Amino acid sequence: MPIIRLTKIERRRVFSLLACLLLAIAAWLFMALKNKYIYSAKTVLVFKNSPTKRAFYPLQSDTVDLQVEGTGWQLLFDRLRISPPSINIYLSQLNTKDFIVCSDQLFNINKQVESTQKVISIKPDTLYFDFTKRVVKTVDVKLIQKLSFTKQYGIASEILLNPKSVKVAGPIEELSKIEFWPTDTLKLNNVQSSSTLRIALQHSIHKNISIYPSSIEVKLPVDEFTEKTLEIPLKITNNRNYNSIKLYPKKVKVTFLVALSNFDQVNESFITATVNTDEWSVLHHNQFTVKLTEFPDYCKLINISPSKVDFVVEK
């Protein structure tokens, strides 16, 4: 195959021609990408200003398609997203209507997105809602926690929640199923001192249920623990026939961990140890098992000695 041999001047001319061609293509591409185009981007709706006296349930997905006017650069790189990834839709009109027209809020929507993007329409443009009577219920807050402590440290007394209860608003049939409202999981490791934290409540999985307030204050009373032993007198339960029962021994030693700040405070009155006569009259056991029916939540039981006691029934 013959090889075309170019002179030095001819090679320069070819390179110059190719360079001009590439520059022309780059200039055309740059100008084309600067032009405005219409493209579609998915985004999530966040509902704001919910009606105060009506409970609602959206009849369509909270994800919509935005028709966005932007440059070719955005079409090339940002087609599948919009910044920010969600937009606010205000529901104040639902006090008098059963639907929201998104195009009525285009001005506010465009204030939320980047200045280089312009939303020109939304699909679907009309959002429909199902309404039921809205009621308010007060429920207790349940702290969900996963705490680990430095050795010999722990919760010294009751964990304080402020507020202890929250108001939940929504359809009466949904609220009847709610007994409490959980927080997000409080996760702390190697805790060795008291602290006050703010934690959010879990979001409702139902869009027509709202919670107020959305966060609470948690006070964790943490202290170093030490061992303490008390002699606790035994009490007899379920002695229906009023038998004369003698226990051997009459007291048991209860060993537990208690916070240093509560060491002197916790005494025999905080603990109740019992035996159940059903073990003899029904189960025919020859010993009673000792059980603690009252014991401080902020103490940690180590041992009950003895855990079983002998008895004599005098007829």
Side-chain angles (χ1 to χ4, degrees), residues 260-312:
L260 289 176
S261 58
N262 295 326
F263 188 87
D264 294 331
Q265 175 186 344
V266 178
N267 54 40
E268 291 82 356
S269 64
F270 283 73
I271 303 173
T272 301
T274 64
V275 293
N276 190 338
T277 59
D278 285 346
E279 286 195 86
W280 163 66
S281 60
V282 178
L283 301 177
H284 307 296
H285 292 172
N286 57 10
Q287 283 185 312
F288 287 142
T289 302
V290 179
K291 293 184 178 180
L292 299 185
T293 54
E294 291 183 3
F295 187 77
D297 293 335
Y298 46 86
C299 295
K300 301 176 183 179
L301 180 64
I302 296 178
N303 184 43
I304 303 173
S305 179
S307 60
K308 291 181 180 292
V309 296
D310 295 320
F311 65 93
V312 173

Short mmCIF file of all heavy atoms in Angstrom, two decimals, residues 260-312:
data_model
loop_
_atom_site.label_atom_id
_atom_site.label_comp_id
_atom_site.label_asym_id
_atom_site.label_seq_id
_atom_site.Cartn_x
_atom_site.Cartn_y
_atom_site.Cartn_z
N LEU A 260 -23.33 6.47 93.53
CA LEU A 260 -22.75 7.05 94.74
C LEU A 260 -23.65 8.14 95.32
O LEU A 260 -23.77 8.28 96.53
CB LEU A 260 -21.37 7.63 94.43
CG LEU A 260 -20.25 6.61 94.14
CD1 LEU A 260 -18.97 7.31 93.74
CD2 LEU A 260 -20.01 5.73 95.37
N SER A 261 -24.30 8.89 94.45
CA SER A 261 -25.17 9.98 94.91
C SER A 261 -26.41 9.46 95.62
O SER A 261 -27.05 10.19 96.37
CB SER A 261 -25.57 10.87 93.73
OG SER A 261 -26.22 10.10 92.73
N ASN A 262 -26.79 8.19 95.38
CA ASN A 262 -27.97 7.60 96.00
C ASN A 262 -27.63 6.58 97.08
O ASN A 262 -28.54 5.92 97.60
CB ASN A 262 -28.85 6.92 94.94
CG ASN A 262 -29.41 7.91 93.94
OD1 ASN A 262 -29.71 9.05 94.28
ND2 ASN A 262 -29.57 7.48 92.69
N PHE A 263 -26.36 6.44 97.39
CA PHE A 263 -25.94 5.35 98.27
C PHE A 263 -26.65 5.41 99.63
O PHE A 263 -27.18 4.42 100.12
CB PHE A 263 -24.42 5.39 98.47
CG PHE A 263 -23.88 4.21 99.21
CD1 PHE A 263 -23.53 3.05 98.54
CD2 PHE A 263 -23.73 4.24 100.60
CE1 PHE A 263 -23.04 1.94 99.21
CE2 PHE A 263 -23.24 3.14 101.28
CZ PHE A 263 -22.90 1.99 100.59
N ASP A 264 -26.66 6.58 100.25
CA ASP A 264 -27.28 6.71 101.57
C ASP A 264 -28.81 6.75 101.49
O ASP A 264 -29.49 6.40 102.46
CB ASP A 264 -26.77 7.98 102.26
CG ASP A 264 -25.29 7.90 102.58
OD1 ASP A 264 -24.78 6.78 102.80
OD2 ASP A 264 -24.63 8.96 102.59
N GLN A 265 -29.32 7.17 100.36
CA GLN A 265 -30.77 7.32 100.21
C GLN A 265 -31.48 5.98 100.10
O GLN A 265 -32.55 5.77 100.67
CB GLN A 265 -31.07 8.17 98.97
CG GLN A 265 -32.55 8.31 98.65
CD GLN A 265 -32.77 9.04 97.34
OE1 GLN A 265 -31.89 9.70 96.82
NE2 GLN A 265 -33.97 8.90 96.79
N VAL A 266 -30.90 5.04 99.37
CA VAL A 266 -31.55 3.74 99.14
C VAL A 266 -31.41 2.87 100.38
O VAL A 266 -30.29 2.52 100.79
CB VAL A 266 -30.95 3.03 97.91
CG1 VAL A 266 -31.60 1.67 97.71
CG2 VAL A 266 -31.13 3.88 96.66
N ASN A 267 -32.56 2.52 100.97
CA ASN A 267 -32.55 1.67 102.17
C ASN A 267 -33.57 0.54 102.03
O ASN A 267 -34.11 0.32 100.92
CB ASN A 267 -32.82 2.51 103.42
CG ASN A 267 -34.09 3.32 103.30
OD1 ASN A 267 -35.11 2.85 102.77
ND2 ASN A 267 -34.05 4.56 103.77
N GLU A 268 -33.86 -0.13 103.14
CA GLU A 268 -34.75 -1.30 103.09
C GLU A 268 -36.15 -0.97 102.60
O GLU A 268 -36.84 -1.84 102.04
CB GLU A 268 -34.84 -1.93 104.50
CG GLU A 268 -33.57 -2.60 104.98
CD GLU A 268 -32.57 -1.60 105.56
OE1 GLU A 268 -32.85 -0.38 105.52
OE2 GLU A 268 -31.51 -2.03 106.04
N SER A 269 -36.59 0.27 102.78
CA SER A 269 -37.96 0.63 102.37
C SER A 269 -38.13 0.67 100.86
O SER A 269 -39.25 0.67 100.36
CB SER A 269 -38.34 1.99 102.97
OG SER A 269 -37.51 3.02 102.45
N PHE A 270 -37.02 0.70 100.13
CA PHE A 270 -37.09 0.76 98.67
C PHE A 270 -37.24 -0.63 98.04
O PHE A 270 -37.50 -0.74 96.85
CB PHE A 270 -35.82 1.42 98.10
CG PHE A 270 -35.79 2.91 98.25
CD1 PHE A 270 -35.59 3.49 99.50
CD2 PHE A 270 -35.97 3.75 97.16
CE1 PHE A 270 -35.56 4.86 99.65
CE2 PHE A 270 -35.94 5.12 97.30
CZ PHE A 270 -35.74 5.68 98.55
N ILE A 271 -37.06 -1.68 98.84
CA ILE A 271 -37.02 -3.04 98.29
C ILE A 271 -38.04 -3.91 99.02
O ILE A 271 -38.14 -3.86 100.25
CB ILE A 271 -35.61 -3.65 98.43
CG1 ILE A 271 -34.58 -2.76 97.72
CG2 ILE A 271 -35.58 -5.07 97.86
CD1 ILE A 271 -33.14 -3.20 97.95
N THR A 272 -38.79 -4.69 98.26
CA THR A 272 -39.73 -5.65 98.84
C THR A 272 -39.41 -7.04 98.30
O THR A 272 -39.38 -7.25 97.08
CB THR A 272 -41.19 -5.29 98.49
OG1 THR A 272 -41.47 -3.98 98.99
CG2 THR A 272 -42.16 -6.29 99.10
N ALA A 273 -39.16 -7.97 99.23
CA ALA A 273 -38.86 -9.36 98.87
C ALA A 273 -40.01 -10.24 99.33
O ALA A 273 -40.48 -10.14 100.46
CB ALA A 273 -37.55 -9.81 99.51
N THR A 274 -40.50 -11.11 98.45
CA THR A 274 -41.67 -11.93 98.77
C THR A 274 -41.44 -13.39 98.41
O THR A 274 -40.57 -13.73 97.60
CB THR A 274 -42.92 -11.43 98.01
OG1 THR A 274 -42.70 -11.60 96.60
CG2 THR A 274 -43.21 -9.98 98.30
N VAL A 275 -42.26 -14.25 99.06
CA VAL A 275 -42.36 -15.66 98.67
C VAL A 275 -43.84 -15.95 98.43
O VAL A 275 -44.71 -15.34 99.06
CB VAL A 275 -41.78 -16.59 99.74
CG1 VAL A 275 -40.29 -16.42 99.86
CG2 VAL A 275 -42.47 -16.38 101.10
N ASN A 276 -44.12 -16.88 97.55
CA ASN A 276 -45.49 -17.18 97.14
C ASN A 276 -45.88 -18.56 97.65
O ASN A 276 -45.25 -19.57 97.28
CB ASN A 276 -45.60 -17.12 95.62
CG ASN A 276 -47.03 -17.17 95.12
OD1 ASN A 276 -47.92 -17.65 95.82
ND2 ASN A 276 -47.24 -16.69 93.91
N THR A 277 -46.93 -18.64 98.48
CA THR A 277 -47.33 -19.93 99.06
C THR A 277 -47.89 -20.90 98.02
O THR A 277 -48.04 -22.10 98.30
CB THR A 277 -48.38 -19.73 100.15
OG1 THR A 277 -49.53 -19.08 99.61
CG2 THR A 277 -47.81 -18.90 101.30
N ASP A 278 -48.20 -20.38 96.82
CA ASP A 278 -48.67 -21.29 95.75
C ASP A 278 -47.60 -22.32 95.40
O ASP A 278 -47.91 -23.40 94.89
CB ASP A 278 -49.05 -20.50 94.51
CG ASP A 278 -50.39 -19.79 94.66
OD1 ASP A 278 -51.12 -20.12 95.61
OD2 ASP A 278 -50.70 -18.90 93.84
N GLU A 279 -46.35 -21.99 95.63
CA GLU A 279 -45.28 -22.95 95.37
C GLU A 279 -45.46 -24.21 96.24
O GLU A 279 -45.06 -25.30 95.83
CB GLU A 279 -43.91 -22.31 95.63
CG GLU A 279 -43.47 -21.33 94.58
CD GLU A 279 -41.99 -21.03 94.69
OE1 GLU A 279 -41.17 -21.78 94.12
OE2 GLU A 279 -41.65 -20.05 95.38
N TRP A 280 -46.00 -24.03 97.43
CA TRP A 280 -46.25 -25.18 98.31
C TRP A 280 -47.63 -25.78 98.08
O TRP A 280 -47.76 -26.98 97.86
CB TRP A 280 -46.11 -24.76 99.77
CG TRP A 280 -46.73 -25.72 100.74
CD1 TRP A 280 -46.33 -26.99 101.01
CD2 TRP A 280 -47.91 -25.49 101.53
NE1 TRP A 280 -47.15 -27.58 101.93
CE2 TRP A 280 -48.14 -26.67 102.28
CE3 TRP A 280 -48.76 -24.41 101.71
CZ2 TRP A 280 -49.21 -26.80 103.17
CZ3 TRP A 280 -49.81 -24.53 102.60
CH2 TRP A 280 -50.04 -25.70 103.31
N SER A 281 -48.67 -24.95 98.09
CA SER A 281 -50.05 -25.47 98.04
C SER A 281 -50.44 -25.96 96.66
O SER A 281 -51.26 -26.87 96.54
CB SER A 281 -51.02 -24.37 98.49
OG SER A 281 -50.92 -23.24 97.65
N VAL A 282 -49.87 -25.40 95.61
CA VAL A 282 -50.25 -25.78 94.24
C VAL A 282 -49.15 -26.60 93.57
O VAL A 282 -49.40 -27.66 93.00
CB VAL A 282 -50.57 -24.53 93.40
CG1 VAL A 282 -50.91 -24.92 91.95
CG2 VAL A 282 -51.72 -23.73 94.03
N LEU A 283 -47.93 -26.11 93.65
CA LEU A 283 -46.82 -26.77 92.95
C LEU A 283 -46.10 -27.81 93.80
O LEU A 283 -45.27 -28.56 93.28
CB LEU A 283 -45.82 -25.71 92.47
CG LEU A 283 -46.39 -24.64 91.53
CD1 LEU A 283 -45.32 -23.60 91.19
CD2 LEU A 283 -46.94 -25.27 90.25
N HIS A 284 -46.38 -27.82 95.11
CA HIS A 284 -45.82 -28.80 96.04
C HIS A 284 -44.30 -28.74 96.12
O HIS A 284 -43.63 -29.78 96.23
CB HIS A 284 -46.27 -30.23 95.65
CG HIS A 284 -47.76 -30.36 95.52
ND1 HIS A 284 -48.64 -30.18 96.58
CD2 HIS A 284 -48.54 -30.60 94.42
CE1 HIS A 284 -49.88 -30.34 96.15
NE2 HIS A 284 -49.86 -30.59 94.85
N HIS A 285 -43.75 -27.54 96.04
CA HIS A 285 -42.31 -27.38 96.23
C HIS A 285 -41.98 -27.45 97.72
O HIS A 285 -42.81 -27.09 98.57
CB HIS A 285 -41.84 -26.04 95.65
CG HIS A 285 -41.95 -25.97 94.15
ND1 HIS A 285 -41.74 -24.81 93.44
CD2 HIS A 285 -42.24 -26.93 93.23
CE1 HIS A 285 -41.90 -25.05 92.15
NE2 HIS A 285 -42.21 -26.33 92.00
N ASN A 286 -40.77 -27.85 98.01
CA ASN A 286 -40.36 -27.92 99.41
C ASN A 286 -39.53 -26.70 99.83
O ASN A 286 -39.02 -26.64 100.94
CB ASN A 286 -39.59 -29.21 99.70
CG ASN A 286 -38.38 -29.35 98.79
OD1 ASN A 286 -38.01 -28.43 98.09
ND2 ASN A 286 -37.78 -30.53 98.81
N GLN A 287 -39.37 -25.74 98.93
CA GLN A 287 -38.73 -24.47 99.25
C GLN A 287 -39.46 -23.35 98.51
O GLN A 287 -40.07 -23.58 97.45
CB GLN A 287 -37.25 -24.47 98.82
CG GLN A 287 -36.32 -25.23 99.74
CD GLN A 287 -34.87 -25.07 99.32
OE1 GLN A 287 -34.53 -25.22 98.14
NE2 GLN A 287 -34.00 -24.77 100.29
N PHE A 288 -39.39 -22.14 99.07
CA PHE A 288 -39.95 -20.97 98.42
C PHE A 288 -38.85 -20.23 97.65
O PHE A 288 -37.73 -20.07 98.16
CB PHE A 288 -40.56 -20.00 99.44
CG PHE A 288 -41.86 -20.48 100.04
CD1 PHE A 288 -42.14 -20.25 101.38
CD2 PHE A 288 -42.80 -21.14 99.26
CE1 PHE A 288 -43.34 -20.66 101.94
CE2 PHE A 288 -43.99 -21.56 99.81
CZ PHE A 288 -44.27 -21.33 101.14
N THR A 289 -39.18 -19.75 96.45
CA THR A 289 -38.26 -18.92 95.67
C THR A 289 -38.47 -17.45 96.04
O THR A 289 -39.60 -16.97 96.07
CB THR A 289 -38.49 -19.09 94.16
OG1 THR A 289 -38.34 -20.48 93.82
CG2 THR A 289 -37.53 -18.25 93.35
N VAL A 290 -37.39 -16.77 96.33
CA VAL A 290 -37.47 -15.36 96.72
C VAL A 290 -37.55 -14.49 95.46
O VAL A 290 -36.76 -14.66 94.52
CB VAL A 290 -36.25 -14.96 97.56
CG1 VAL A 290 -36.32 -13.47 97.93
CG2 VAL A 290 -36.15 -15.81 98.81
N LYS A 291 -38.50 -13.59 95.46
CA LYS A 291 -38.66 -12.66 94.34
C LYS A 291 -38.73 -11.24 94.88
O LYS A 291 -39.31 -10.99 95.94
CB LYS A 291 -39.91 -12.98 93.53
CG LYS A 291 -39.83 -14.32 92.80
CD LYS A 291 -41.04 -14.55 91.93
CE LYS A 291 -40.94 -15.86 91.18
NZ LYS A 291 -42.12 -16.11 90.32
N LEU A 292 -38.17 -10.31 94.11
CA LEU A 292 -38.23 -8.88 94.46
C LEU A 292 -39.40 -8.26 93.71
O LEU A 292 -39.39 -8.17 92.48
CB LEU A 292 -36.93 -8.17 94.11
CG LEU A 292 -35.66 -8.68 94.80
CD1 LEU A 292 -34.48 -7.81 94.44
CD2 LEU A 292 -35.83 -8.74 96.31
N THR A 293 -40.43 -7.86 94.43
CA THR A 293 -41.60 -7.24 93.79
C THR A 293 -41.47 -5.72 93.73
O THR A 293 -42.20 -5.07 92.98
CB THR A 293 -42.88 -7.61 94.56
OG1 THR A 293 -42.72 -7.27 95.95
CG2 THR A 293 -43.16 -9.10 94.43
N GLU A 294 -40.57 -5.17 94.52
CA GLU A 294 -40.25 -3.75 94.46
C GLU A 294 -38.74 -3.60 94.50
O GLU A 294 -38.09 -4.13 95.39
CB GLU A 294 -40.90 -2.97 95.61
CG GLU A 294 -42.41 -2.87 95.52
CD GLU A 294 -42.99 -2.02 96.64
OE1 GLU A 294 -42.20 -1.47 97.44
OE2 GLU A 294 -44.22 -1.88 96.70
N PHE A 295 -38.21 -2.86 93.50
CA PHE A 295 -36.76 -2.67 93.43
C PHE A 295 -36.52 -1.42 92.59
O PHE A 295 -37.13 -1.25 91.53
CB PHE A 295 -36.07 -3.88 92.81
CG PHE A 295 -34.57 -3.82 92.85
CD1 PHE A 295 -33.89 -4.09 94.02
CD2 PHE A 295 -33.85 -3.48 91.72
CE1 PHE A 295 -32.50 -4.03 94.07
CE2 PHE A 295 -32.48 -3.42 91.75
CZ PHE A 295 -31.79 -3.70 92.92
N PRO A 296 -35.67 -0.49 93.01
CA PRO A 296 -35.45 0.76 92.26
C PRO A 296 -34.94 0.49 90.84
O PRO A 296 -34.01 -0.32 90.65
CB PRO A 296 -34.39 1.48 93.10
CG PRO A 296 -34.49 0.89 94.47
CD PRO A 296 -34.89 -0.54 94.26
N ASP A 297 -35.55 1.18 89.89
CA ASP A 297 -35.14 1.01 88.50
C ASP A 297 -33.69 1.46 88.27
O ASP A 297 -33.03 0.97 87.35
CB ASP A 297 -36.07 1.81 87.57
CG ASP A 297 -37.48 1.24 87.56
OD1 ASP A 297 -37.62 0.04 87.85
OD2 ASP A 297 -38.42 2.00 87.26
N TYR A 298 -33.23 2.40 89.05
CA TYR A 298 -31.90 2.97 88.84
C TYR A 298 -30.81 2.20 89.59
O TYR A 298 -29.67 2.64 89.65
CB TYR A 298 -31.88 4.45 89.24
CG TYR A 298 -32.53 4.75 90.57
CD1 TYR A 298 -31.80 4.64 91.75
CD2 TYR A 298 -33.86 5.13 90.63
CE1 TYR A 298 -32.39 4.91 92.97
CE2 TYR A 298 -34.46 5.41 91.86
CZ TYR A 298 -33.73 5.30 93.01
OH TYR A 298 -34.31 5.57 94.23
N CYS A 299 -31.18 1.07 90.21
CA CYS A 299 -30.19 0.18 90.83
C CYS A 299 -30.07 -1.09 89.99
O CYS A 299 -30.99 -1.46 89.26
CB CYS A 299 -30.58 -0.17 92.26
SG CYS A 299 -30.59 1.25 93.38
N LYS A 300 -28.94 -1.78 90.12
CA LYS A 300 -28.69 -2.99 89.34
C LYS A 300 -28.50 -4.17 90.28
O LYS A 300 -27.53 -4.20 91.06
CB LYS A 300 -27.45 -2.80 88.45
CG LYS A 300 -27.56 -1.63 87.48
CD LYS A 300 -26.28 -1.42 86.71
CE LYS A 300 -26.37 -0.20 85.81
NZ LYS A 300 -25.10 0.04 85.07
N LEU A 301 -29.41 -5.11 90.21
CA LEU A 301 -29.37 -6.26 91.11
C LEU A 301 -28.18 -7.16 90.77
O LEU A 301 -27.93 -7.48 89.61
CB LEU A 301 -30.67 -7.06 90.99
CG LEU A 301 -30.79 -8.30 91.86
CD1 LEU A 301 -30.77 -7.94 93.34
CD2 LEU A 301 -32.05 -9.09 91.49
N ILE A 302 -27.46 -7.57 91.81
CA ILE A 302 -26.34 -8.51 91.64
C ILE A 302 -26.71 -9.90 92.15
O ILE A 302 -26.54 -10.90 91.46
CB ILE A 302 -25.08 -8.01 92.40
CG1 ILE A 302 -24.59 -6.69 91.79
CG2 ILE A 302 -23.97 -9.06 92.33
CD1 ILE A 302 -23.39 -6.10 92.52
N ASN A 303 -27.29 -9.94 93.38
CA ASN A 303 -27.49 -11.25 93.98
C ASN A 303 -28.53 -11.17 95.10
O ASN A 303 -28.68 -10.13 95.76
CB ASN A 303 -26.16 -11.78 94.53
CG ASN A 303 -26.29 -13.18 95.09
OD1 ASN A 303 -26.93 -14.04 94.48
ND2 ASN A 303 -25.72 -13.42 96.27
N ILE A 304 -29.27 -12.28 95.27
CA ILE A 304 -30.16 -12.46 96.43
C ILE A 304 -29.68 -13.70 97.17
O ILE A 304 -29.59 -14.78 96.57
CB ILE A 304 -31.62 -12.65 95.99
CG1 ILE A 304 -32.10 -11.47 95.16
CG2 ILE A 304 -32.52 -12.83 97.21
CD1 ILE A 304 -33.49 -11.67 94.56
N SER A 305 -29.38 -13.54 98.43
CA SER A 305 -28.83 -14.68 99.20
C SER A 305 -29.58 -14.83 100.53
O SER A 305 -29.62 -13.90 101.34
CB SER A 305 -27.35 -14.45 99.47
OG SER A 305 -26.82 -15.52 100.22
N PRO A 306 -30.21 -16.01 100.71
CA PRO A 306 -30.34 -17.10 99.73
C PRO A 306 -31.46 -16.79 98.73
O PRO A 306 -32.36 -16.00 99.02
CB PRO A 306 -30.69 -18.30 100.62
CG PRO A 306 -31.44 -17.69 101.76
CD PRO A 306 -30.81 -16.36 102.02
N SER A 307 -31.42 -17.43 97.57
CA SER A 307 -32.46 -17.22 96.57
C SER A 307 -33.66 -18.12 96.82
O SER A 307 -34.74 -17.87 96.26
CB SER A 307 -31.89 -17.49 95.16
OG SER A 307 -31.42 -18.83 95.07
N LYS A 308 -33.48 -19.16 97.67
CA LYS A 308 -34.60 -20.03 98.07
C LYS A 308 -34.54 -20.20 99.59
O LYS A 308 -33.43 -20.25 100.17
CB LYS A 308 -34.51 -21.39 97.40
CG LYS A 308 -34.77 -21.36 95.88
CD LYS A 308 -34.70 -22.75 95.28
CE LYS A 308 -34.94 -22.76 93.79
NZ LYS A 308 -36.32 -22.40 93.44
N VAL A 309 -35.71 -20.25 100.22
CA VAL A 309 -35.75 -20.40 101.68
C VAL A 309 -36.60 -21.60 102.07
O VAL A 309 -37.54 -21.99 101.36
CB VAL A 309 -36.31 -19.11 102.33
CG1 VAL A 309 -35.39 -17.93 102.08
CG2 VAL A 309 -37.72 -18.83 101.87
N ASP A 310 -36.28 -22.18 103.22
CA ASP A 310 -37.06 -23.28 103.77
C ASP A 310 -38.26 -22.70 104.52
O ASP A 310 -38.28 -21.51 104.91
CB ASP A 310 -36.19 -24.11 104.73
CG ASP A 310 -35.05 -24.80 104.00
OD1 ASP A 310 -35.29 -25.29 102.87
OD2 ASP A 310 -33.95 -24.83 104.57
N PHE A 311 -39.24 -23.55 104.75
CA PHE A 311 -40.44 -23.09 105.47
C PHE A 311 -41.07 -24.27 106.23
O PHE A 311 -40.85 -25.43 105.89
CB PHE A 311 -41.43 -22.47 104.50
CG PHE A 311 -41.99 -23.45 103.48
CD1 PHE A 311 -43.17 -24.13 103.72
CD2 PHE A 311 -41.32 -23.67 102.28
CE1 PHE A 311 -43.66 -25.04 102.76
CE2 PHE A 311 -41.79 -24.56 101.35
CZ PHE A 311 -42.98 -25.25 101.58
N VAL A 312 -41.83 -23.89 107.24
CA VAL A 312 -42.61 -24.85 108.02
C VAL A 312 -44.02 -24.32 108.12
O VAL A 312 -44.24 -23.17 108.50
CB VAL A 312 -42.01 -25.08 109.43
CG1 VAL A 312 -42.95 -25.96 110.25
CG2 VAL A 312 -40.63 -25.69 109.33
#
